[in-house]
């Protein structure tokens, strides 16, 4: 499964970068969303994907019984998801403000800091 | 002691709540904190005067040898007492001085934090926590100097102080790290006992230069003295505090603290004594040439700081005795004088000495207190300043290197200081009454009580010098010097050379004072001319240079097109990472579909279709919807592959993301096509390159594992150590809680960013 | 080419209106449940905070910002600050015991039959909960308000 995900991740990254390179600011936002998903999947895939063994310790036991999924990348991704939302919200509002000020959604027109 | 330090920060947190309730009484109420701190520190006096050193330690980051450890010996106790004791009057004074000001609460918050960081600085036994507190004083003093932030010159002065001190702080950090590396510990107490290995190391010279850059900038030594007089843009209570017991004394403190380790090194002694002597003279000269009463006092602080540094550099037993006496004397009279100057300014509305006169009848109490404090400044018997000055002369005479030069500078400075003291004490109060912007009247009690008590202390310590000596000063001298010293202070030493020098200084000073009206304009003119080539001019041309270079390289590298930046960054990444990957690992493309269920293929397919639809569609709604599909399939992947927490989080965030996009995105124009065919092909190739790189990288990362992950530890100790059965949550809130703390702060910043962007717009309308 | 724009952010359907009213307390209780069990089962501050903000956002869409503000009684920004302060507060108890800061401290006692486990970890998680809740509500409410 991991090797299959590697290709998916590649495609997601490519799509994200392509969207972020567009001059229309709305597309930039879409690219940002794809990028954060791609990054999360990347961390998830390289640490190994295990089916049906969540990193929980059953009641009464002191340690998990048998092999479980790696909890560390999950902890990293969990915060990454929430932070990505915060950053996305910031970016979206910033873009919206920029659009209002510049009056144009072409990124190449947003060159000056003075407007 | 931890609580003594933290109490200031904690109280600062609640001050905004106190202010509306207590109104004008806030200053009095807040003064209770420094007062209790004074009593707390005073309770250590008996033990410390017996030569005891008190250590207390709290772990902070034990893994990195960084602890909140505190050390209380004679030196830190003297500073701690000065900081908290003078703090009491500063708060009382500030409450009255800022009466009616709209942001008094903000002032007190920063002031408390400032006091607390200064206390932390002088009590720290750990170099890193010392440095943290050091920088905190820089930052809080920046906020205080720029307190009147609507005034452009205040902002500029604040920024100047910050640049100079923080720039020095960087050098200091390098110096301290070198010191810790060589000394083998971050604990000051351990480094000081290992001074041999410090001196013998090849880093010694670099270390001293770095540390001195830090302390010289902080303590306004020549040629960095220019920021200090500008810092009086701050409200007067701040200046009084900053000049007497805090901030600038931090550099002095650190030099004194490290003196036992470096005192054998020639570079240390020579640079301290020479730069100190020059600073002393320059400060006294500039003080003489100024007319603004606060500026006069500010330059006289520069003089005092120079004297202190010079005495440390001379480093003999006498010099260190003089150092401690001078330190105490200066703190007492300088705090008093600044508060008095502020009171005069507050009541008559001008700071210009040439416009003052005859206030004696209007402000009799102020006049008397000023006279006492100024006598101590001038070093006249029977005040404590006299003892300090005598000791200083004694030390200079007993000095071996550069004796003549330093003696001349010291004598000249003493004359000038005598004249300054006379100007400050006599000019405003005697002579004919001048018309002033405000109708003069006596200052309120809150503004006089501090100076009065401090001035009386100057007098009392002068008459009864053994009181401060036995209680604290001998312990201080022992903390600063390598060999134990015993001495006794006295007003009268008999007819000797220091007394003769004092008399010469007195006569010279009186002459200078008498001719102040005539000589001052000429000197002032000369100073203005000279300042064009002075260090402050250097500071400004450096700042201009930085702006110039910045704008030049911006024009060159940053042409404002986001796409170009990204292409440059991505291609750089692809080339560097790709090269490393191929040369170190090689090309290994494989696909292992064994064991993948058909519905897993289906999830992946859905994911890809959603992505491809999102990049090809021209409808925003379609793109947003496909983003939702992508998000939910990712959530499916998480849930299916044993990450329930991630799955839930992803689903919830995805919902919120769609809401966010609906709220904002539809206020923007639809997808527009701006790019030419060439640009599309160029961007697509860059994107594909990046995608291929990421795939190869992922494949390589799956294939090889260089070392054991640390996850094993988390899994094993989750229940036994952290009592949690959800290991992901345990990592988040226990094992890696510091990271999570950082992350919620990031969230907070993002939220406040959004809020302010939208709020700002609301106000514009 | 242009999509149809949603004109107003309050959707005045009766079902949503009523559903939001009933769902809000249920969702909030559920979020607290998720928060408290988070240390042992899937859940925790992040997830619970998201669920709680979801509850308020739903209510906001049904009843508008003003009404949401009314039932919340506090500014979302204050919740955010509360969350950060709780997170910071969890740092210090460890130091009081002379351990490195943020070292977890546990206070266990039994209340009737049940074993109650209180800890700085729980305080920290509650801090995360409020920080997430405050963040999302600050963002969403400022956005909807700027629209009106």
């Amino acid at each position: 499964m991991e090797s299959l995900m590697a290709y998916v991740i590649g495609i997601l990254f490519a799509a994200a970068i392509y969207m972020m390179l567009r001059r229309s600011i709305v597309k930039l936002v879409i690219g940002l969303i794809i990028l954060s998903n791609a990054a999360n999947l990347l961390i998830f895939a390289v640490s190994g994907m295990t089916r049906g063994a969540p990193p929980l310790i059953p009641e009464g036991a002191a340690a998990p019984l048998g092999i479980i999924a790696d909890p560390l990348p999950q902890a990293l991704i969990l915060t990454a998801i929430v932070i990505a939302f915060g950053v996305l919200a910031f970016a979206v509002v910033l873009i919206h403000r920029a659009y209002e000020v510049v009056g144009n959604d072409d990124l190449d027109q947003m060159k000056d800091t003075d407007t | 002691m931890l609580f003594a330090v933290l109490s200031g920060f904690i109280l600062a947190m609640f001050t905004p709540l106190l202010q509306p309730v207590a109104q004008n009484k806030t200053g009095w109420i807040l003064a209770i904190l420094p007062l209790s701190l004074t009593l707390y520190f005073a309770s250590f006096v008996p033990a410390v005067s017996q030569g005891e050193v008190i250590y207390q330690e709290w772990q902070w980051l034990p893994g990195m040898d960084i602890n909140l450890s505190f050390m209380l010996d004679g030196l830190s106790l003297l500073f701690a007492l000065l900081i908290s004791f003078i703090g009491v009057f500063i708060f009382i004074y500030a409450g009255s001085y800022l009466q009616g000001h709209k942001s008094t609460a903000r002032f007190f918050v920063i002031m408390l934090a400032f006091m607390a960081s200064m206390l932390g600085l002088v009590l720290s036994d750990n170099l890193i926590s010392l440095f943290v507190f050091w920088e905190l004083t820089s930052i809080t003093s920046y906020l205080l100097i720029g307190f009147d932030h609507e005034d452009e010159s205040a902002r500029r002065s604040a920024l100047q102080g910050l640049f100079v001190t923080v720039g020095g702080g960087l050098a200091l950090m390098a110096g301290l790290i070198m010191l810790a590396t060589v000394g083998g510990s971050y604990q000051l107490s351990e480094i000081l006992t290992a001074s041999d290995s410090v001196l013998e190391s090849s880093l010694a010279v670099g270390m001293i230069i770095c540390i001195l850059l830090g302390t010289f900038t902080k303590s306004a030594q020549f040629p960095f003295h220019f920021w200090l007089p500008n810092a009086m843009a701050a409200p007067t209570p701040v200046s009084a505090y900053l000049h007497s017991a805090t901030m600038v004394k931090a550099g002095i403190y650190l030099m004194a603290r490290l003196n036992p380790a470096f005192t054998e090194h020639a570079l240390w002694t020579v640079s301290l004594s020479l730069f100190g002597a020059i600073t002393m003279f320059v400060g006294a000269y500039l003080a003489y040439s100024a007319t603004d009463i606060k500026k006069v006092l500010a330059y006289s602080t520069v003089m005092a700081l120079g004297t202190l540094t010079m005495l440390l550099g001379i480093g003999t037993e006498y010099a260190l005795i003089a150092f401690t006496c001078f330190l105490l004397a200066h703190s007492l009279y300088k705090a008093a004088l600044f508060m008095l100057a502020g009171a005069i300014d507050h009541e008559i509305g001008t700071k210009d000495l040439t416009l003052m006169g005859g206030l004696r009848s209007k402000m009799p109490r102020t006049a008397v207190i000023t006279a006492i404090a100024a006598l101590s400044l001038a070093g006249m018997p029977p005040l404590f300043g006299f003892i300090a000055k005598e000791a200083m002369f004694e030390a200079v005479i007993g000095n071996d290197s550069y004796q003549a030069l330093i003696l001349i500078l010291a004598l000249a400075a003493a004359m000038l200081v005598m004249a300054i003291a006379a100007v400050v004490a006599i000019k405003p109060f005697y002579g004919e009454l001048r018309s002033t912007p405000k109708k003069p009247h006596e200052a309120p009690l809150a503004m006089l009580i501090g100076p009065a008590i401090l001035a009386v202390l100057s007098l009392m310590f002068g008459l009864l010098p053994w009181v401060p000596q036995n209680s604290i000063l001998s312990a201080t001298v022992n903390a600063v010097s390598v060999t134990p010293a015993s001495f006794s202070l006295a007003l009268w030493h008999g007819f000797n050379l220091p007394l003769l020098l004092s008399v010469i200084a007195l006569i010279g000073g009186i002459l200078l004072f008498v001719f102040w009206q005539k000589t001052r304009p000429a000197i002032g003119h000369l100073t203005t001319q000279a300042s064009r080539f002075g260090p402050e001019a250097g500071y400004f041309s450096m700042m201009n240079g930085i702006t110039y270079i910045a704008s030049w390289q911006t024009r060159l590298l940053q042409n404002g097109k986001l796409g170009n930046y990204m292409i440059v960054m991505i291609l750089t990444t692809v080339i560097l990472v790709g090269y490393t990957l191929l040369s170190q690992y090689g090309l290994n493309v494989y696909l292992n579909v064994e064991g993948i269920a058909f519905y897993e293929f289906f999830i992946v397919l859905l994911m890809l279709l959603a992505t491809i639809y999102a990049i090809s569609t021209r409808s925003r709604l379609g793109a947003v919807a496909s983003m939702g599909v992508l998000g939910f399939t990712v959530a499916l992947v998480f849930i299916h592959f044993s990450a329930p927490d991630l799955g839930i989080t992803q689903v919830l965030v995805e919902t919120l993301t769609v809401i966010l996009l609906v709220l904002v995105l539809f206020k923007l124009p639809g997808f527009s096509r701006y790019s030419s065919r060439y640009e599309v092909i160029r961007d697509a190739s860059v994107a594909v390159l990046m995608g291929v790189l990421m795939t190869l990288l992922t494949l390589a990362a799956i294939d090889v594992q260089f070392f054991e992950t640390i996850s094993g530890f988390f899994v094993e100790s989750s229940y036994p150590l952290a009592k949690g059965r959800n290991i992901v949550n345990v990592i988040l809130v226990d094992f890696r809680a510091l990271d999570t703390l950082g992350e919620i702060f990031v969230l907070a910043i993002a939220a406040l960013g959004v809020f302010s962007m939208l709020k700002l717009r609301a106000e514009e309308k | 080419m242009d999509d149809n724009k949603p004109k107003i952010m309050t959707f005045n359907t009766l079902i949503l209106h009523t559903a939001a009213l009933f769902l809000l307390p249920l969702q909030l209780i559920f979020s607290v449940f998720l928060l408290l069990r988070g240390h042992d089962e899937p859940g925790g501050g992040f997830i619970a905070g998201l669920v709680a903000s979801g509850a308020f956002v739903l209510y906001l869409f049904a009843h508008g910002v003003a009404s949401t503000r009314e039932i919340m009684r506090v500014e979302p920004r204050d919740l955010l600050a509360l969350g950060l302060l709780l997170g910071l507060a969890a740092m210090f108890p460890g130091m009081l015991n002379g351990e490195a800061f943020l070292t977890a401290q546990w206070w266990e006692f039994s209340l009737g039959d049940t074993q109650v486990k209180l800890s700085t970890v729980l305080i920290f998680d509650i801090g995360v909960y409020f920080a997430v809740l405050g963040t999302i509500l600050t963002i969403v409410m400022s956005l909807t308000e700027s629209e009106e």
Side-chain angles (χ1 to χ4, degrees):
Chain A
M1 189 68 197
E2 290 90 347
S3 56
L4 176 64
M5 286 311 287
Y7 296 95
V8 176
I9 290 162
I11 294 170
L12 288 186
F13 264 104
I17 300 294
Y18 178 75
M19 286 304 263
M20 290 174 81
L21 286 173
R22 309 271 43 80
R23 277 160 66 179
S24 159
I25 44 178
V26 187
K27 290 189 175 176
L28 181 73
V29 176
I30 302 290
L32 218 56
I33 300 175
I34 303 179
L35 189 69
S36 69
N37 277 318
N40 289 343
L41 282 177
L42 172 70
I43 304 175
F44 197 63
V46 295
S47 65
M49 295 163 78
T50 323
R51 291 184 188 84
L56 300 169
I57 301 170
E59 199 142 2
L65 315 164
I67 295 170
I68 54 160
D70 193 345
L72 185 61
Q74 295 194 12
L76 295 178
I77 298 170
L78 201 150
T79 46
I81 294 173
V82 183
I83 294 228
F85 175 76
V87 172
L88 181 73
F90 186 83
V92 164
V93 175
L94 183 69
I95 283 170
H96 182 222
R97 272 295 276 160
Y99 168 68
E100 278 185 338
V101 173
V102 181
N104 195 322
D105 69 330
D106 184 358
L107 271 173
D108 282 6
Q109 300 299 317
M110 299 183 184
K111 289 202 292 191
D112 299 319
T113 47
D114 301 336
T115 33
Chain B
M1 262 186 269
L2 177 66
F3 301 105
V5 173
L6 288 183
S7 58
F9 293 115
I10 295 168
L11 186 61
M13 222 155 61
F14 294 106
T15 306
L17 304 177
L18 176 70
Q19 167 69 20
V21 186
Q23 295 290 346
N24 297 333
K25 297 276 176 283
T26 320
W28 290 93
I29 294 173
L30 290 180
I32 296 171
L33 175 74
L35 184 64
S36 30
L37 285 176
T38 313
L39 296 176
Y40 171 76
F41 287 118
S43 72
F44 288 106
V45 165
V48 171
S49 64
Q50 296 303 313
E52 218 175 288
V53 181
I54 295 149
Y55 295 98
Q56 290 179 9
E57 184 173 302
W58 281 267
Q59 292 192 342
W60 187 4
L61 300 173
M64 297 171 75
D65 196 13
I66 296 171
N67 293 308
L68 275 180
S69 47
F70 296 107
M71 167 170 67
L72 196 64
D73 64 352
L75 182 65
S76 19
L77 184 58
L78 176 63
F79 272 94
L81 279 173
L82 284 174
I83 293 163
S84 43
F85 186 65
I86 293 180
V88 175
F89 305 112
I90 299 286
F91 279 103
I92 296 175
Y93 180 89
S96 170
Y97 187 85
L98 288 174
Q99 200 164 6
H101 196 287
K102 61 180 186 316
S103 30
T104 324
R106 174 162 59 95
F107 175 82
F108 280 124
V109 169
I110 311 171
M111 202 67 180
L112 281 168
F114 184 45
M115 183 185 80
S117 3
M118 195 62 203
L119 275 177
L121 167 62
V122 299
L123 293 173
S124 284
D125 185 28
N126 184 286
L127 285 181
I128 298 294
S129 52
L130 184 143
F131 180 73
V132 169
F133 285 119
W134 176 281
E135 293 291 275
L136 272 177
T137 59
S138 290
I139 293 166
T140 42
S141 68
Y142 163 72
L143 293 172
L144 286 170
I145 298 170
F147 175 69
D148 196 5
H149 59 84
E150 279 161 20
D151 176 11
E152 200 203 331
S153 75
R155 285 204 307 270
R156 221 178 21 227
S157 305
L159 203 58
Q160 189 184 51
L162 186 75
F163 268 125
V164 174
T165 54
V166 171
L170 277 180
L172 178 72
M173 184 168 73
L176 291 181
I177 289 174
M178 281 192 255
L179 182 62
T181 319
V182 174
S185 166
Y186 275 98
Q187 299 300 109
L188 262 171
S189 42
E190 286 170 30
I191 294 169
L192 293 183
T193 51
S195 68
D196 288 342
S197 60
V198 171
L199 289 179
E200 282 161 16
S201 91
S202 52
L203 290 173
V205 172
M207 199 177 344
I208 290 178
I209 292 176
C210 283
I211 291 176
L212 287 186
L213 269 176
T215 55
F216 278 14
T217 47
K218 192 84 161 184
S219 286
Q221 297 294 312
F222 180 85
F224 305 112
H225 60 275
F226 54 86
W227 73 265
L228 186 59
N230 293 337
M232 54 172 211
T236 304
V238 179
S239 309
Y241 206 27
L242 197 127
H243 283 256
S244 61
T246 58
M247 187 68 185
V248 294
K249 290 288 171 67
I252 300 291
Y253 166 79
L254 190 62
M255 286 189 274
R257 173 55 80 208
L258 297 176
N259 189 49
F262 289 121
T263 188
E264 303 289 322
H265 203 287
L267 179 66
W268 177 266
T269 50
V270 169
S271 40
L272 284 194
S273 46
L274 278 188
F275 277 102
I278 295 170
T279 311
M280 171 177 71
F281 175 74
V282 170
Y285 169 77
L286 290 173
Y288 183 72
S289 69
T291 55
D292 180 323
I293 184 164
K294 278 182 84 178
K295 215 162 201 158
V296 171
L297 292 174
Y299 279 123
S300 81
T301 306
V302 173
M303 181 285 296
L305 294 170
T307 314
L308 288 169
T309 310
M310 174 192 80
L311 288 170
L312 272 179
I314 293 173
T316 54
E317 189 185 328
Y318 245 109
L320 296 180
I321 296 167
F323 169 80
T324 36
C325 295
F326 203 90
L327 182 72
L328 178 62
H330 173 253
S331 294
L332 293 177
Y333 71 67
K334 189 50 60 71
L337 283 176
F338 253 112
M339 288 196 257
L340 291 163
I344 297 173
D345 172 27
H346 199 258
E347 304 311 333
I348 69 171
T350 178
K351 284 181 283 207
D352 194 338
L353 275 166
T354 52
L355 300 178
M356 297 178 192
L359 293 171
R360 187 177 36 142
S361 53
K362 303 285 183 194
M363 309 175 78
R365 292 188 210 113
T366 314
V368 172
I369 304 168
T370 310
I372 300 175
L375 279 177
S376 193
L377 165 67
M380 295 293 286
L383 285 116
F384 195 64
F386 173 71
I387 296 181
K389 195 188 58 176
E390 294 285 283
M392 188 265 284
F393 278 135
E394 186 88 47
V396 171
I397 295 165
N399 175 33
D400 309 326
S401 46
Y402 305 99
Q403 191 197 23
L405 175 67
I406 292 181
L407 188 60
I408 292 169
L409 287 175
L411 190 60
M415 285 182 196
L416 288 164
V417 168
M418 191 77 76
I420 302 162
V423 168
V424 169
I426 296 172
K427 185 73 190 45
F429 300 107
Y430 295 85
E432 59 185 292
L433 191 62
R434 301 285 197 92
S435 68
T436 45
K438 278 196 208 167
K439 204 171 163 340
H441 57 84
E442 187 59 278
L445 171 74
M447 294 176 83
L448 288 182
I449 179 163
I453 292 179
L454 293 172
V456 168
L457 274 181
S458 291
L459 182 62
M460 211 182 76
F461 286 169
L463 293 171
L464 314 164
W466 53 87
V467 175
Q469 178 206 320
N470 290 337
S471 55
I472 177 107
L473 291 184
S474 358
T476 312
V477 172
N478 282 328
V480 181
S481 74
V482 190
T483 47
S486 64
F487 59 96
S488 62
L489 301 173
L491 265 183
W492 180 249
H493 287 281
F495 295 100
N496 55 10
L497 198 52
L499 188 68
L500 180 67
L501 289 175
S502 284
V503 173
I504 297 176
L506 176 65
I507 297 168
I510 291 171
L511 287 177
L512 280 172
F513 168 66
V514 172
F515 293 112
W516 187 71
Q517 303 279 23
K518 286 186 191 132
T519 52
R520 202 216 51 80
I523 285 181
H525 184 66
L526 188 68
T527 312
T528 325
Q529 292 295 323
S531 71
R532 273 201 235 153
F533 308 101
E536 187 166 12
Y539 166 82
F540 284 122
S541 51
M542 192 186 78
M543 295 312 282
N544 287 339
I546 291 175
T547 345
Y548 177 77
I549 293 174
S551 67
W552 170 76
Q553 70 96 16
T554 309
R555 275 198 307 276
L556 189 73
L557 296 176
Q558 305 187 316
N559 48 13
K561 291 193 178 177
L562 190 65
N564 290 357
Y565 301 169
M566 279 194 52
I567 290 176
V568 169
M569 282 193 289
I570 291 167
L571 286 183
T572 316
T573 314
V574 170
I575 290 168
L576 291 180
V577 177
Y579 173 74
T580 317
L581 186 72
L582 291 180
S583 62
Q584 302 291 318
Y585 174 77
L587 193 64
N588 181 10
V589 184
Y590 61 95
L591 176 62
N592 181 7
V593 291
E594 208 180 310
I596 303 180
F598 81 96
Y599 54 86
E600 290 167 357
F601 276 117
F602 181 70
I603 297 177
V604 167
L605 191 66
L606 208 56
M607 206 182 265
L608 294 181
L609 284 179
T611 313
I612 291 164
Y613 180 71
I615 57 174
S616 54
T617 183
R618 301 193 65 179
S619 133
R620 282 174 305 167
L621 195 61
V624 170
S626 64
M627 280 304 94
V629 173
L630 174 63
F632 285 114
T633 46
V634 170
L636 267 180
V637 170
F638 286 149
I639 292 176
H640 185 64
F641 289 94
S642 319
D645 287 280
L646 291 192
I648 304 171
T649 316
Q650 175 80 20
V651 168
L652 293 167
V653 165
E654 212 46 57
T655 317
L656 289 166
T657 307
V658 171
I659 290 172
L660 176 83
L661 293 182
V662 169
L663 276 176
V664 183
L665 225 49
F666 290 98
K667 286 190 267 176
L668 295 172
F671 285 167
S672 332
R673 280 187 195 275
Y674 290 112
S675 316
S676 62
R677 185 161 205 86
Y678 157 72
E679 280 173 323
V680 171
I681 293 169
R682 178 195 63 185
D683 296 348
S685 349
V686 170
V688 167
L689 274 177
M690 185 69 179
V692 170
L693 176 75
M694 291 316 289
T695 301
L696 291 178
L697 211 56
T698 317
L699 286 174
I702 296 165
D703 185 38
V704 282
Q705 192 172 19
F706 286 111
F707 44 80
E708 190 68 20
T709 66
I710 53 169
S711 308
F713 167 79
F714 295 134
V715 173
E716 274 164 30
S717 20
S718 170
Y719 195 71
L721 284 184
K723 303 175 201 239
R725 290 188 283 108
N726 178 359
I727 306 173
V728 174
N729 183 264
V730 168
I731 294 177
L732 281 176
V733 296
D734 198 336
F735 291 136
R736 308 294 311 163
L738 191 62
D739 298 348
T740 312
L741 189 68
E743 276 145 16
I744 57 177
F745 271 90
V746 173
L747 282 182
I749 292 166
L752 293 181
V754 169
F755 178 78
S756 48
M757 275 192 281
L758 294 165
K759 173 91 175 165
L760 220 66
R761 185 178 59 166
E763 277 170 9
E764 270 169 23
K765 276 179 185 170
Chain C
M1 119 143 228
D2 204 357
D3 307 298
N4 43 344
K5 295 181 180 181
K7 295 277 184 318
I8 28 167
M9 290 323 297
T10 351
F11 302 95
N12 274 322
T13 62
L14 186 65
I15 297 176
L16 182 65
H17 216 86
T18 328
L21 208 59
F22 284 105
L23 278 177
L24 178 67
L26 283 179
Q27 277 180 293
L28 286 182
I29 292 169
F30 182 57
S31 79
V32 173
F33 166 72
L34 280 175
L35 170 67
L36 293 180
R37 76 166 203 166
H39 214 50
D40 292 333
E41 305 286 335
F46 278 106
I47 292 174
L50 288 168
V51 169
S53 19
F56 280 112
V57 170
L58 181 68
Y59 187 88
L60 187 144
F61 278 174
H63 296 260
V65 186
S67 153
T68 315
R69 234 176 241 290
E70 219 163 87
I71 59 158
M72 278 183 64
R73 302 226 173 93
V74 280
E75 277 285 312
R77 270 173 299 147
D78 295 346
L79 288 180
L80 180 54
L82 174 70
L84 298 184
L85 281 178
L86 284 175
L88 287 173
M91 300 200 309
F92 295 106
M95 291 176 83
L96 302 190
N97 280 356
E99 294 172 76
F101 81 151
L102 267 173
T103 309
Q105 305 294 313
W106 292 81
W107 303 279
E108 291 185 52
F109 56 90
S110 28
L111 197 78
D113 291 338
T114 41
Q115 190 76 11
V116 180
K117 288 197 292 184
L118 287 181
S119 61
T120 54
V121 172
L122 184 64
I123 299 176
F124 188 84
D125 222 5
I126 297 174
V128 172
Y129 174 83
F130 280 116
V132 171
L133 180 61
T135 303
I136 289 171
L137 289 184
T138 307
I139 293 173
V140 174
M141 284 170 93
S142 336
L143 275 172
T144 21
E145 265 172 343
S146 79
E147 184 141 335
E148 279 165 7

